[in-house]
Amino acid sequence: MVPELVRTWAAGWAVSRRTPPPVELPWGIYLDVGSAGQVGRHVLPYATESVVRAAAASASVPDTWLKVPGEPAEIEPWLPEGWVVDKEECGYLMSADLRATHPAVPDGYAVSVETHDGVTFVRVHDETGAPAARGQMAVLGEATVVDRVVTEEAHRRRGLGSCVMGVLADEALARGAGLGVLGATDDGHALYETLGWKLRAPLTACIYRP
């Protein structure tokens, strides 16, 4: 299950972030990101020493990333010189069987939904029109990849994250997707678990910084 979820996550991430399509390599998938601090990322469906070493050895440009389904303590000894684990960027691969929620919007807020080039954006604004929370997703057939779910500091603990996730789930179901996949941070992981999402694997983030 995990390798398939990793591939779905990588493909949806590329659509959501508007990067070129994933490139298949012997050890997994490569995404050409081209941003400051991340020129590209290798996403590995399997966490084995030989696969991690092969992907890492292929990198020659600083700020190339590896995303590996496995614990940091397991992955770190396999990294060649020049590679480090970035614990702040490590996270969790999660999935859920989506269900309709029709979430209530907290008082004082309004929700908008827009879709552009295959990416659906959910935004929450307060009474002044200021942004309060947001999230987006890319639907890939029967699966959707949820991305960039954020609640602004001043608006946290008001149910806005749950509202965004509920709207995204309803929008995905309306487009024929029944499976949700995402990569979560520590904070997001706790929220998603309360909404029925299941942890499938830890995600270790490694960066080439020679």
Side-chain angles (χ1 to χ4, degrees):
M1 170 185 273
V2 170
E4 290 78 10
L5 291 176
V6 169
R7 290 184 178 279
T8 298
W9 175 56
W13 192 93
V15 175
S16 176
R17 303 297 178 101
R18 306 192 189 286
T19 70
V23 176
E24 288 284 341
L25 295 171
W27 47 82
I29 301 154
Y30 180 74
L31 299 171
D32 182 5
V33 181
S35 65
Q38 184 172 184
V39 298
R41 61 164 59 183
H42 295 273
V43 184
L44 309 187
Y46 300 93
T48 67
E49 181 173 1
S50 61
V51 166
V52 170
R53 288 189 177 278
S58 73
S60 59
V61 181
D63 293 328
T64 298
W65 286 37
L66 281 176
K67 287 281 189 169
V68 188
E71 294 284 358
E74 174 190 17
I75 306 302
E76 194 166 28
W78 299 343
L79 296 173
E81 185 177 355
W83 283 88
V84 296
V85 170
D86 188 329
K87 291 184 169 57
E88 291 187 1
E89 293 295 332
C90 293
Y92 309 90
L93 180 69
M94 304 185 75
S95 71
D97 294 324
L98 301 177
R99 60 182 187 276
T101 60
H102 309 295
V105 181
D107 291 343
Y109 294 94
V111 174
S112 64
V113 180
E114 297 179 356
T115 300
H116 302 288
D117 300 325
V119 183
T120 297
F121 301 87
V122 173
R123 298 182 177 92
V124 181
H125 294 84
D126 66 13
E127 292 175 315
T128 70
R134 66 184 186 275
Q136 63 195 64
M137 68 177 185
V139 173
L140 307 171
E142 297 180 353
T144 188
V145 175
V146 175
D147 190 25
R148 285 179 165 167
V149 177
V150 177
T151 301
E152 300 298 331
E153 185 79 35
H155 300 275
R156 292 180 181 173
R157 303 189 183 280
R158 301 181 188 181
L160 299 185
S162 298
C163 177
V164 168
M165 291 296 291
V167 174
L168 286 171
D170 289 352
E171 292 291 327
L173 288 166
R175 290 164 171 75
L179 172 68
V181 183
L182 57 79
T185 62
D186 282 334
D187 290 342
H189 169 250
L191 166 65
Y192 305 140
E193 278 197 328
T194 67
L195 301 177
W197 288 69
K198 304 298 183 185
L199 172 63
R200 302 306 180 189
L203 285 173
T204 296
C206 314
I207 307 176
Y208 184 50
R209 289 177 176 161

